[in-house]
Amino acid sequence: MFDDLVFRLRSLFRRNVVEAELEEELRTHFDREVEKYLRAGLSPAESKRRARLAIGGLEQVKEDCRDARGVSFFETLLQDVRFALRMLRKNPGFTAVAVLTLALGIGANTAIFSVVDTVLLRPLPFRDPDRLVKVIFSYPGLGLRNISFSIPELEDLRSRAKVFDEVSVVWAASVNLTGSRVPQRLELLAVSPNYFTMLGATPQLGRLFDSQDFALGFAPAAVISDGLWRRAFGTDPNVLGRSLQLDNDPYIIVGVLPPGFRHPGKTIAADVEIWATAGFSADPFAKPARNARQMPGAIGRLKAGLGQGEAQARLTSLSEALRNEFPNDYPPVGKWSIEIQSLQESLVGGVRSTLLVLLGAVILIILVASVNIANLLLARASTRYREMAVRSALGASRMRLVRQTLTESVILALIAGLAGVLTARAVLRIILQFVPSNIPRLHEVSVNWSVLGFALLISVLTGLLFGLAPAIQSAKADLVAAFREGTCRAGHSVKVSRLRGVLIVSELALAMVLMVGAGLLLRTFWGLLQQNPGFNPSGVVAASLWLPAPNDPKADTYAKSEQLTPFFREVLRRLRAIPGVELAAFTTSLPATGDLTFNVALNIEDRAVDSSQDLKADLISVTPDYFRVIQSSLVRGRFFAENDEKGQQDVAIIDESTARRYWPGRDPIGRRLKTGRAAAAPWLTVVGVVGDIKHDGLDKDGVPHLYVAAYQRASKILNVVTRTSLPAASLESQIRSAIQSVDPGLPVFNVRSMPEIIGDSLATRRFSAELVAAFAVLALALTSVGIYGLLAYLCGQRSREIGIRMALGAQPGDILRMILKQGAQLAGGGILAGLLFAAVTAPLISALLYGVRPLDPIVFLAVPLVLLAVSLLASYIPARRAMRVDPMIALRHE
């Protein structure tokens, strides 16, 4: 009967019949197909659906005839698109599942790519950003990098290096805004007058710094951010000329920056809100001298046409010349050097690995989704073999059929891409709420044209990826033979089953790689949470404050330790008087944060200094009760005492890492050391050794720390720590009142519990681990759906075989074992392939691991077991259905 249909269609085509006759011939066959299914006991609706699939779709058959009569390529493509849209509309269930699956994958890819594009790929929003560099001074011989520099060294960069068009100092500081109802802490950046012209910035209001603002010390002009303008001045256009009291010094606002301007560098805690300019050569700065290194950082613009390699070579020559010219200022052991680093790299280098791992994870997600849809399309293609038979008989070429199937896949992917972009906007808002603040340029992240282009590209590639296998399989099939076999078995072949099995194995392998990565990151994060920080964070509440540093040293009420010590003692007395507070202390650096620790070179008495020694430590100033507040262990010696103050012997406490490194096998108690190489620096006597405290972060081991008595060597950068039974929220107002009752002009900020501080220090690791884990769960869900879909399809195709088996005496348990065995074989192949891929790719994320090997045996054992269990569960559902097949119904249906 089907051969007769093909013959008649070809005959009509040769006679160039009108389309109405062709349609009438096909409708006649359609009616016969409906009658056949009705006689088989199917409902009228199901009979019509199967009949439509059997004859292949009247519209596309007519379009194939037009194509064979010489229709242009573009008209044919338009026909393919129209037909693809009709086919998707006729199968709403399939279309909804496919679009939803792909939209999740494309949306996740688009959201993560928008972050990667902004942070890693997009140039900095400044003039000629590729010429902007960070200048780094180091003592590599002493292991000291990114040290401070002096005014003469800055002048050498400007006049002798012949490398830069412009160089500017950048000095981040915290200032106290006074004169308002409530004192506020603001982030200030002290810069050279040419800072804004070097970056090519323009003001929103007023002007920026220029040569008229040159001053040896600080100039009275200030530029404020758009955020401060809106928050503190309500976007008042008359803000220019207003006065600000910063650390009790008056500044005049001369300009407001546009909303998008951000300092291209790391600052202390938040975005810069005020810019001030200085010459750094008069009060409050030290008198210029080559060894008076007080400026912490600099950025510069390279000369046009000068590459970084050549510029670095010139700076290396300059540093060698300066070491030879001023040997007393540059000890040979230090090997003082000048380096440059791309300003963009200095910003994003620390987060590159995290973002690339996230991008790799979402790429794996879209691959898993694509394989899943490819399997669905293969199952769907098996029901369209008669359509392909009719079209092939009418003269449609194999390439024509492949193109039609690929067009349907790409249209499906583009629809999913549109949904994915909408999904990406929602996903991006969620992700940005959890992205750690140390990732730069987050304010610039958006779904822009480059991101939309990426979404379009990934949609097209995805459509081609998941549509290629079904397209080739459909075009290669023996369609006339398939007609003779009947509708239910037309698409079933060993080759199709094998291809679908290969796709499922690939899907399992991809999910395996993603799950192993998530397992390693989660193991790292969990291990860090279990780390012994060297102190007891429970019951500790901390707060931060910065003491003012006015430009006139004579007006500085906290200039010397003798002035600071009474302030410390009075504040601590009032804090201890708060009900629920047991102990209180000051420290310059909070544990686990790595903030505000100053790396200093050490000069140890009776120790010959040579180039092989790495004598350095992080310097932290604390008051006597600090170690008792955080409950750190005393290994030997004593803690600081109240009488360790100015005028008494300068003392120090070291940790065990310092003792092991610099006094191996010896007792360091009573030994003396200096910070720095200056002959006038006082000797410090070691009076105690404490257990290692992870001040620099839970993932930093063996960092030497040197603790000095705050009553002898004070700092204006301070943190209060209290041991209390009260939560931070209820204690905040009382801590603020106790401090401001001593000095009303001091803002108090960042009142947090120590567990919160530790949690914040792990924010980047938590973010990457949780996000990759979420992607792994999504991949696992997609994989389980894929296994279920494949086995359900195979069970349907093998219903006659199962019916015969059961009629011959097979028990339901035998059928269950048969299906589960097939699922286990697929899972085993995917898991084995995934293990091999994971073993190769796991070392790529080693930079994000701590305390966990890339080939961690626990992860590589647990993940396969989880994946196998989920695979067997997904196999069990179709297996239970197969167990319930009625042999008589199955055989009568066939």
Side-chain angles (χ1 to χ4, degrees):
M1 181 179 68
F2 292 104
D3 288 337
D4 292 341
L5 173 64
V6 173
F7 176 79
R8 288 197 300 274
L9 291 175
R10 281 179 171 163
S11 177
L12 289 170
F13 171 65
R14 289 192 193 99
R15 289 188 285 117
N16 202 23
V17 299
V18 296
E19 292 177 7
E21 296 177 45
L22 177 60
E23 184 171 337
E24 180 63 29
E25 185 72 23
L26 291 170
R27 285 192 180 280
T28 299
H29 183 67
F30 173 77
D31 292 338
R32 293 173 184 169
E33 288 289 300
V34 171
E35 290 177 6
K36 183 183 74 172
Y37 288 119
L38 288 172
R39 286 196 301 272
L42 299 180
S43 67
E46 180 64 16
S47 299
K48 290 180 180 180
R49 188 185 72 82
R50 294 201 178 194
R52 288 192 193 96
L53 295 173
I55 68 170
L58 301 177
E59 298 89 348
Q60 189 60 22
V61 172
K62 291 187 292 182
E63 288 167 358
D64 282 340
C65 289
R66 292 195 199 100
D67 189 28
R69 291 173 186 165
V71 179
S72 70
F73 170 80
F74 293 104
E75 290 177 308
T76 304
L77 180 61
L78 185 59
Q79 294 168 6
D80 289 344
V81 171
R82 287 200 302 264
F83 180 70
L85 292 173
R86 284 195 295 269
M87 292 299 294
L88 294 176
R89 188 174 62 248
K90 289 179 180 179
N91 296 272
F94 166 79
T95 303
V97 170
V99 168
L100 178 60
T101 301
L102 289 174
L104 287 174
I106 294 172
N109 271 270
T110 304
I112 295 298
F113 178 78
S114 64
V115 178
V116 172
D117 173 62
T118 301
V119 178
L120 299 185
L121 305 180
R122 194 182 305 171
L124 293 174
F126 303 108
R127 177 171 55 90
D128 299 330
D130 56 313
R131 291 168 55 196
L132 294 174
V133 295
K134 178 182 179 181
V135 186
I136 302 170
F137 298 85
S138 301
Y139 269 129
L142 300 176
L144 300 178
R145 178 175 168 81
N146 209 11
I147 62 173
S148 300
F149 61 99
S150 65
I151 285 292
E153 290 166 350
L154 177 65
E155 294 304 321
D156 291 334
L157 293 180
R158 289 171 172 167
S159 60
R160 297 182 58 174
K162 303 188 185 305
V163 165
F164 303 101
D165 278 342
E166 296 179 276
V167 181
S168 172
V169 175
V170 286
W171 190 333
S174 185
V175 294
N176 299 331
L177 175 63
T178 56
S180 58
R181 185 175 59 86
V182 178
Q184 301 179 48
R185 175 217 177 248
L186 299 177
E187 191 92 5
L188 177 140
L189 192 72
V191 298
S192 302
N194 64 339
Y195 169 85
F196 289 113
T197 57
M198 180 179 66
L199 297 178
T202 55
Q204 179 178 189
L205 286 178
R207 66 175 182 86
L208 303 178
F209 301 139
D210 53 30
S211 57
Q212 68 177 300
D213 296 305
F214 174 78
L216 292 177
F218 273 105
V223 174
I224 64 174
S225 68
D226 175 79
L228 181 62
W229 179 48
R230 294 178 183 278
R231 188 180 74 251
F233 301 98
T235 66
D236 181 4
N238 298 316
V239 69
L240 301 180
R242 296 274 293 271
S243 178
L244 293 174
Q245 290 289 325
L246 304 178
D247 282 356
N248 302 321
D249 292 315
Y251 290 85
I252 303 299
I253 299 174
V254 299
V256 179
L257 287 161
F261 185 89
R262 296 293 190 281
H263 168 62
K266 297 178 180 178
T267 56
I268 294 174
D271 289 330
V272 177
E273 296 179 293
I274 299 178
W275 281 258
T277 183
F280 306 96
S281 300
D283 290 338
F285 307 102
K287 183 178 179 181
R290 186 162 292 275
N291 59 5
R293 299 183 176 94
Q294 56 183 333
M295 293 174 292
I299 59 175
R301 175 178 292 280
L302 297 179
K303 290 182 177 295
L306 183 65
Q308 286 195 28
E310 184 180 352
Q312 183 59 65
R314 294 185 186 181
L315 291 174
T316 301
S317 298
L318 174 63
S319 60
E320 291 176 356
L322 291 174
R323 291 201 305 265
N324 294 329
E325 190 175 346
F326 304 99
N328 293 332
D329 295 310
Y330 304 106
V333 66
K335 299 180 182 178
W336 181 81
S337 65
I338 309 172
E339 304 169 43
I340 54 172
Q341 181 184 29
S342 164
L343 197 53
Q344 179 152 356
E345 180 62 26
S346 72
L347 267 178
V348 306
V351 300
R352 185 186 303 277
S353 297
T354 298
L355 294 181
L356 291 181
V357 165
L358 293 179
L359 185 61
V362 293
I363 289 175
L364 287 177
I365 284 291
I366 196 65
L367 289 175
V368 170
S370 298
V371 173
N372 224 340
I373 301 303
N375 253 316
L376 289 176
L377 286 175
L378 277 174
R380 183 168 171 265
S382 67
T383 63
R384 297 179 62 188
Y385 271 37
R386 289 193 174 186
E387 171 194 337
M388 299 300 176
V390 174
R391 295 177 60 187
S392 180
L394 288 172
S397 65
R398 179 172 293 180
M399 183 57 67
R400 177 76 170 85
L401 298 179
V402 169
R403 189 178 68 197
Q404 172 62 55
T405 309
L406 283 179
T407 300
E408 293 180 28
S409 301
V410 172
I411 292 295
L412 181 65
L414 289 175
I415 295 173
L418 178 60
V421 170
L422 299 178
T423 304
R425 291 182 177 275
V427 171
L428 187 58
R429 284 195 294 269
I430 296 172
I431 289 176
L432 290 179
Q433 293 178 2
F434 298 97
V435 174
S437 59
N438 67 332
I439 295 181
R441 306 182 68 184
L442 291 179
H443 66 283
E444 301 176 37
V445 175
S446 62
V447 181
N448 55 21
W449 286 110
S450 62
V451 175
L452 291 176
F454 173 81
L456 175 63
L457 176 63
I458 201 170
S459 299
V460 173
L461 291 178
T462 300
L464 294 175
L465 178 65
F466 69 70
L468 192 58
I472 294 175
Q473 190 64 37
S474 297
K476 288 172 60 178
D478 185 356
L479 302 176
V480 175
F483 271 140
R484 296 193 183 101
E485 292 181 11
T487 302
C488 291
R489 294 183 56 82
H492 178 58
S493 69
V494 174
K495 289 183 178 180
V496 173
S497 297
R498 286 177 179 173
L499 178 57
R500 295 196 68 190
V502 169
L503 290 176
I504 288 296
V505 168
S506 302
E507 191 174 0
L508 283 161
L510 293 171
M512 180 76 182
V513 172
L514 191 52
M515 291 174 66
V516 165
L520 292 172
L521 293 175
L522 287 172
R523 278 265 293 158
T524 294
F525 181 65
W526 177 253
L528 287 171
L529 290 178
Q530 306 307 309
Q531 280 278 314
N532 177 14
F535 64 98
N536 179 16
S538 178
V540 176
V541 173
S544 301
L545 66 151
W546 288 49
L547 300 181
N551 296 335
D552 183 1
K554 297 178 181 177
D556 189 354
T557 57
Y558 301 109
K560 300 178 180 179
S561 295
E562 295 89 335
Q563 297 167 301
L564 276 168
T565 299
F567 169 79
F568 288 156
R569 286 175 168 158
E570 182 58 23
V571 169
L572 294 177
R573 185 187 68 81
R574 299 193 183 201
L575 288 173
R576 287 192 292 265
I578 298 174
V581 173
E582 302 171 20
L583 291 169
F586 279 103
T587 177
T588 54
S589 175
L590 291 173
T593 63
D595 294 337
L596 306 174
T597 56
F598 300 96
N599 197 256
V600 295
L602 300 182
N603 182 1
I604 298 177
E605 189 177 30
D606 301 327
R607 176 73 59 86
V609 178
D610 56 50
S611 59
S612 66
Q613 290 176 328
D614 181 15
L615 305 179
K616 61 177 182 176
D618 285 350
L619 183 67
I620 302 172
S621 178
V622 300
T623 54
D625 281 336
Y626 172 71
F627 298 107
R628 297 184 182 91
V629 170
I630 65 172
Q631 295 184 354
S632 174
S633 60
L634 179 66
V635 177
R636 62 175 67 91
R638 65 174 177 87
F639 291 137
F640 292 131
E642 284 294 323
N643 61 356
D644 289 325
E645 56 188 2
K646 205 68 174 177
Q648 303 297 319
Q649 170 64 49
D650 289 326
V651 294
I653 292 175
I654 61 175
D655 58 15
E656 289 183 290
S657 290
T658 309
R660 283 192 300 267
R661 179 173 297 188
Y662 302 136
W663 290 277
R666 301 165 62 189
D667 186 359
I669 301 297
R671 305 286 180 177
R672 298 204 306 170
L673 54 86
K674 286 183 179 182
T675 58
R677 306 293 174 185
W683 287 101
L684 304 173
T685 301
V686 178
V687 297
V689 178
V690 295
D692 285 341
I693 302 171
K694 289 184 174 287
H695 267 277
D696 302 85
L698 297 181
D699 54 357
K700 300 292 190 302
D701 293 321
V703 179
H705 292 97
L706 176 69
Y707 301 92
V708 295
Y711 296 163
Q712 295 178 336
R713 186 177 296 194
S715 171
K716 294 188 176 184
I717 304 170
L718 298 171
N719 298 278
V720 169
V721 287
T722 61
R723 176 151 294 279
T724 175
S725 58
L726 302 176
S730 63
L731 197 59
E732 179 174 1
S733 60
Q734 299 181 72
I735 290 177
R736 180 173 287 107
S737 297
I739 294 174
Q740 291 180 349
S741 65
V742 179
D743 188 337
L746 293 180
V748 180
F749 53 96
N750 287 344
V751 180
R752 298 172 293 169
S753 69
M754 189 56 68
E756 288 180 276
I757 294 171
I758 292 177
D760 291 344
S761 72
L762 298 174
T764 301
R765 292 188 179 275
R766 177 189 291 107
F767 171 71
S768 58
E770 291 179 349
L771 202 56
V772 173
F775 292 149
V777 171
L778 178 58
L780 184 62
L782 291 174
T783 302
S784 61
V785 169
I787 293 175
Y788 164 78
L790 174 60
L791 292 179
Y793 168 78
L794 292 179
C795 289
Q797 293 288 346
R798 299 174 65 183
S799 59
R800 186 183 181 204
E801 173 197 340
I802 293 172
I804 292 174
R805 285 175 179 269
M806 298 186 74
L808 293 175
Q811 298 301 311
D814 299 327
I815 303 301
L816 177 65
R817 284 190 293 272
M818 181 182 71
I819 304 301
L820 288 181
K821 179 181 178 182
Q822 193 170 10
Q825 288 174 341
L826 291 172
I831 288 171
L832 182 59
L835 280 173
L836 295 176
F837 288 137
V840 173
T841 57
L844 299 178
I845 65 171
S846 57
L848 301 181
L849 304 180
Y850 174 80
V852 177
R853 291 176 295 171
L855 302 180
D856 182 67
I858 295 178
V859 172
F860 274 78
L861 178 63
V863 169
L865 291 177
V866 171
L867 194 53
L868 180 61
V870 171
S871 301
L872 292 177
L873 180 62
S875 306
Y876 179 73
I877 300 174
R880 278 183 59 85
R881 289 184 180 177
M883 291 166 55
R884 298 172 180 173
V885 168
D886 187 326
M888 298 307 296
I889 294 177
L891 294 174
R892 184 172 68 245
H893 178 71
E894 288 293 331

